[in-house]
Amino acid sequence: MEFLDCYKEALEIQLQRQQEENEELSKASLDEREARGYSLLNVSVRFEFYNGEPDPYCAPLPDGMRYIKYAYVSCRENYSKFRESSMVFLKHGSYCFPLEVMVDAPDRMVLAPSDFDRKVCFIDPDSAPENNWTVDDRPTDITYKLLLSTWDFLNSHPDKAAAIAEVLEGRSPQQSAPASIAAPMTGRQPNPSQQEAIARAVGCEPFHLIQGPPGTGKTFTIGHICRHLIAAGCKVLVTGPTHTAINNCLNAVARVVNDDSKVVKLGKAPQAAELDADAAVTRKTRLPYNTYLRTSTLSKEGIVIGATPYALANGLAGWDFDYAVVDESSQLSIPQAVTVMAHSDRVVFVGDHKQLDPIIPRDTDNWMLEHSIFQHMVKRYPGECSLLRESYRLNENLIRIPNELFYHNELVSCAPVEMPFVHYQMQERYMSEAYPEVAELIQHASNELLYLHEEFDAQGRSPYEAELTARLILQLMLNKVKPQEIAVVTPYRAQVREVKLYLSRWVFKKDSPLEKLLFVDTVDRMQGQEKEYIIYTLANSNPESVERRMDFFFSPNRLNVAITRARTKCIVIGNYLLFDLCRQWLEDPSRPAEMREGIQAYVDFYDRSTRLTQQVQRAEDIFG
């Protein structure tokens, strides 16, 4: 199949799958939609309004009415599947506003109308309800339309389409030649693997790959790549799947460039939340190329612009970049990456294919929907990938298992081994005879632990693990560990709810501000973050439920993300039977190779872990 035909087919498949999912969801109740992550019920909303009409297309409103600029949503538990750029409805009685997610956090969201929807988003501030709003998924084909505009562009630029096809199909003859680059005059110097990655990225033709395992300083590396490209007078796009990733990169660029005429962030105000207050970054909502040329305050001799790929279809109209640096490209689909490649001469893909993939349709015959752009490129050009080797997050004890399982022992720890927990004192009045293991789990001298229990409870959630987790957190906080230094992660949203339930019983008073500082969410939401203490509750105490969702649960990438977030201690909690069954499942030759790889990762993790166990019966004693 020709490249452009394959690209168009991938877009059609994604649209069809989305339509099928929307049709199924339309038949579900609100409670079911919330359980599946497609609705948020009973949330509180505070509105911010425009003064007057936001644009010429918005008609004057009757007295008392105001156009909505932002809707600030507060919720106790955001378990939704919504992400930045998701399209939603904000509903209450007769009110139904079409909005876009600007910011997505565990306990809050910021929504705003698109330029097209502003004219229908207005309300009387004095009569606007504050509570009992619903955020509901809004079926839309906007992603399809934006990517289709890339297809139209490439259809009219066949030379560009042919060049992209050559790269993606593994036929590119070009090889990156490291550029000669000078070290920074002041500040932290790049380490040897970072220096090599920077040189190869600056000298790339037409692309380079940088694999950044956990804590290896990929954002720092991106900052220095952009420093050299700006000095060379290049126009650079810094992009990625989320505004958070882009903002973190721009902070790194601003620290080494410190010139707001050369660093620009595109997006609405809430989408710049992570930018440092003193960062030398100019903020714009739109910057078409013709506007840029007429703007005297922006550099014409080297500039970095941070924006999502979608901005190339509207906010960055007319731009053609010398370089694009794509952060978190292991979470970017190939069709989205094609949009970036269509408007850039050279591309630096930064990511880690050993961490979580993007959500894309599976089981298709279209190669553009098999993997992320980063994994796709690494498979075809392994020699064009620079590995950042030095981890500043994981100490020697924490790095050992992921290094052996996922990184071929190529990583080196640059973090000190610290074990303050061995000196923590247990507050006896908060201990329970039902959970004597709490003290041993906290005070054990290992930085990593796998705790195996024999409790069999619900599907997709484990009340036992949730209460144990709450009691561990209580004792950590009684020993002066701040809640913002702890994270609880799990594969399932149902277990997130369960953990929060027991935290409200044992740890936090009602409406305590400390509760919002503690991260409790799915592994997918934790990618890219780190904490001192990680508790990973597997919540699989029902073997049948595991077997039904093997492809989800036994993702080696999800396991890798979970066990590489901690700086001080990582505790994994699971039912012993799960690992016993893993060995049995491996003996079944009918299981797909990819699933066997995931199961094997859990067996290897078990074999290498420091294990603590309850006194348990074996599987054959329980099941015969």
Side-chain angles (χ1 to χ4, degrees):
M1 185 183 295
E2 292 292 331
F3 169 72
L4 284 178
D5 292 336
C6 188
Y7 180 69
K8 182 73 172 295
E9 181 190 69
L11 305 189
E12 299 289 351
I13 290 172
Q14 291 184 101
L15 179 63
Q16 181 182 353
R17 293 285 179 91
Q18 183 63 53
Q19 290 172 338
E20 291 171 354
E21 190 172 80
N22 292 339
E23 185 176 349
E24 181 192 355
L25 280 172
S26 67
K27 303 172 184 176
S29 67
L30 271 179
D31 287 341
E32 184 180 350
R33 291 169 67 90
E34 183 181 43
R36 294 173 59 182
Y38 291 96
S39 292
L40 273 175
L41 307 182
N42 302 318
V43 302
S44 301
V45 176
R46 177 177 63 83
F47 291 104
E48 180 180 340
F49 299 97
Y50 285 101
N51 291 320
E53 292 79 48
D55 60 50
Y57 303 100
C58 293
L61 296 173
D63 288 345
M65 294 290 186
R66 302 275 296 278
Y67 283 107
I68 296 169
K69 187 174 186 180
Y70 298 116
Y72 299 94
V73 175
S74 299
C75 52
R76 285 186 60 83
E77 41 190 38
N78 179 4
Y79 306 125
S80 72
K81 291 186 175 182
F82 304 137
R83 299 292 184 266
E84 293 174 359
S85 79
S86 293
M87 298 296 172
V88 298
F89 285 119
L90 182 62
K91 299 177 179 178
H92 189 296
S94 61
Y95 296 119
C96 183
F97 301 125
L99 303 171
E100 178 182 355
V101 178
M102 300 285 107
V103 174
D104 175 56
D107 60 348
R108 64 187 178 88
M109 300 172 75
V110 180
L111 313 178
S114 67
D115 294 347
F116 180 79
D117 291 322
R118 279 196 196 116
K119 59 182 179 290
V120 298
C121 294
F122 54 84
I123 195 171
D124 183 344
D126 293 332
S127 62
E130 181 179 349
N131 300 313
N132 300 318
W133 288 83
T134 295
V135 181
D136 206 9
D137 180 63
R138 172 161 57 119
T140 177
D141 60 356
I142 188 169
T143 298
Y144 172 79
K145 290 179 178 177
L146 290 171
L147 295 177
L148 190 61
S149 70
T150 298
W151 183 86
D152 290 334
F153 173 83
L154 292 175
N155 221 23
S156 60
H157 294 78
D159 291 346
K160 188 72 174 179
I164 295 174
E166 186 177 62
V167 169
L168 291 180
E169 292 171 2
R171 298 182 286 108
S172 176
Q174 303 289 346
Q175 298 294 315
S176 300
S180 177
I181 58 175
M185 299 294 292
T186 59
R188 175 183 152 196
Q189 302 294 306
N191 63 42
S193 66
Q194 291 170 340
Q195 188 75 5
E196 178 187 353
I198 294 166
R200 295 185 71 185
V202 172
C204 76
E205 183 66 49
F207 67 90
H208 188 57
L209 310 169
I210 299 176
Q211 184 182 0
T216 52
K218 65 180 179 62
T219 304
F220 172 86
T221 303
I222 289 171
H224 282 272
I225 290 169
C226 292
R227 175 176 72 90
H228 289 288
L229 296 178
I230 288 173
C234 297
K235 300 188 295 290
V236 184
L237 173 68
V238 169
T239 189
T242 67
H243 284 277
T244 298
I246 295 165
N247 293 338
N248 290 335
C249 290
L250 293 183
N251 284 332
V253 176
R255 282 193 284 270
V256 293
V257 174
N258 196 29
D259 183 343
D260 63 2
S261 75
K262 297 184 176 183
V263 187
V264 180
K265 172 63 198 304
L266 227 64
K268 297 185 178 181
Q271 295 169 329
E274 293 83 10
L275 289 177
D276 293 341
D278 58 349
V281 180
T282 296
R283 302 174 191 183
K284 298 279 187 182
T285 54
R286 299 172 58 84
L287 189 61
Y289 192 62
N290 288 336
T291 302
Y292 161 71
L293 292 177
R294 297 193 303 267
T295 304
S296 60
T297 56
L298 295 180
S299 169
K300 305 303 183 291
E301 298 178 353
I303 190 168
V304 165
I305 297 179
T308 63
Y310 297 112
L312 292 164
N314 42 56
L316 288 174
W319 277 86
D320 190 15
F321 292 91
D322 300 308
Y323 283 80
V325 181
V326 187
D327 190 25
E328 300 288 2
S329 58
S330 52
Q331 289 196 301
L332 199 71
S333 71
I334 293 174
Q336 288 175 309
V338 169
T339 295
V340 177
M341 298 170 77
H343 297 280
S344 310
D345 295 335
R346 301 171 182 84
V347 185
V348 180
F349 295 106
V350 186
D352 183 7
H353 55 297
K354 299 300 183 181
Q355 298 187 54
L356 287 168
D357 287 335
I359 299 173
I360 50 180
R362 301 296 184 185
D363 302 321
T364 75
D365 293 327
N366 190 299
W367 60 265
M368 290 193 182
L369 299 176
E370 290 179 356
H371 301 293
S372 70
I373 181 62
F374 192 82
Q375 184 168 353
H376 176 85
M377 294 292 285
V378 166
K379 283 189 171 184
R380 281 151 184 79
Y381 302 98
E384 283 298 300
C385 184
S386 296
L387 174 67
L388 304 182
R389 302 174 186 277
E390 294 85 359
S391 176
Y392 298 91
R393 174 193 304 165
L394 303 173
N395 62 43
E396 289 183 0
N397 296 332
L398 290 170
I399 206 171
R400 177 180 57 85
I401 295 176
N403 208 3
E404 293 178 6
L405 294 188
F406 306 109
Y407 299 107
H408 309 290
N409 283 316
E410 294 186 90
L411 304 186
V412 176
S413 173
C414 294
V417 175
E418 296 180 354
M419 296 184 290
F421 42 81
V422 299
H423 303 295
Y424 290 166
Q425 299 299 311
M426 299 298 102
Q427 300 292 326
E428 292 298 331
R429 62 184 175 138
Y430 295 111
M431 295 292 286
S432 166
E433 291 183 2
Y435 293 88
E437 61 273 26
V438 167
E440 188 176 9
L441 284 170
I442 289 178
Q443 295 171 324
H444 195 285
S446 176
N447 296 97
E448 55 82 21
L449 290 172
L450 170 60
Y451 177 68
L452 301 167
H453 64 82
E454 62 175 345
E455 306 298 327
F456 296 88
D457 37 31
Q459 295 185 11
R461 63 187 179 89
S462 169
Y464 169 80
E465 291 183 19
E467 182 168 354
L468 174 58
T469 297
R471 290 181 178 277
L472 288 169
I473 290 169
L474 175 60
Q475 291 294 338
L476 287 172
M477 290 177 59
L478 290 172
N479 279 276
K480 312 284 188 211
V481 177
K482 298 176 181 177
Q484 58 266 39
E485 296 174 344
I486 307 169
V488 180
V489 293
T490 178
Y492 306 112
R493 287 194 305 277
Q495 183 66 357
V496 174
R497 290 190 178 93
E498 201 73 18
V499 170
K500 288 197 170 186
L501 173 65
Y502 281 93
L503 286 171
S504 67
R505 291 179 181 175
W506 295 106
V507 182
F508 297 111
K509 295 179 180 178
K510 186 178 181 180
D511 297 325
S512 168
L514 295 178
E515 186 174 5
K516 294 184 178 181
L517 300 177
L518 178 70
F519 184 98
V520 184
D521 215 321
T522 60
V523 180
D524 304 57
R525 290 291 189 100
M526 189 65 192
Q527 181 155 309
Q529 302 183 62
E530 62 182 19
K531 299 287 183 179
E532 294 298 333
Y533 293 85
I534 294 291
I535 301 173
Y536 184 27
T537 161
L538 295 174
N540 261 318
S541 300
N542 186 302
E544 290 182 0
S545 66
V546 181
E547 196 156 13
R548 281 196 298 269
R549 299 191 65 191
M550 276 189 167
D551 56 339
F552 169 81
F553 182 81
F554 288 112
S555 161
N557 291 23
R558 184 169 283 104
L559 174 63
N560 185 30
V561 170
I563 64 175
T564 56
R565 303 301 99 194
R567 290 190 294 253
T568 298
K569 191 161 190 168
C570 177
I571 300 173
V572 179
I573 305 172
N575 187 288
Y576 80 92
L577 183 59
L578 172 69
F579 296 94
D580 282 2
L581 289 172
C582 280
R583 298 182 191 278
Q584 297 179 25
W585 290 328
L586 279 178
E587 296 174 0
D588 181 358
S590 67
R591 297 195 185 278
E594 188 173 347
M595 188 178 296
R596 291 171 61 85
E597 179 186 354
I599 297 171
Q600 185 65 58
Y602 273 76
V603 170
D604 292 342
F605 170 71
Y606 174 93
D607 291 340
R608 289 163 172 78
S609 295
T610 303
R611 298 187 298 276
L612 297 179
T613 63
Q614 286 182 322
Q615 191 67 36
V616 299
Q617 293 175 283
R618 307 319 300 156
E620 56 268 24
D621 297 330
I622 297 174
F623 295 99

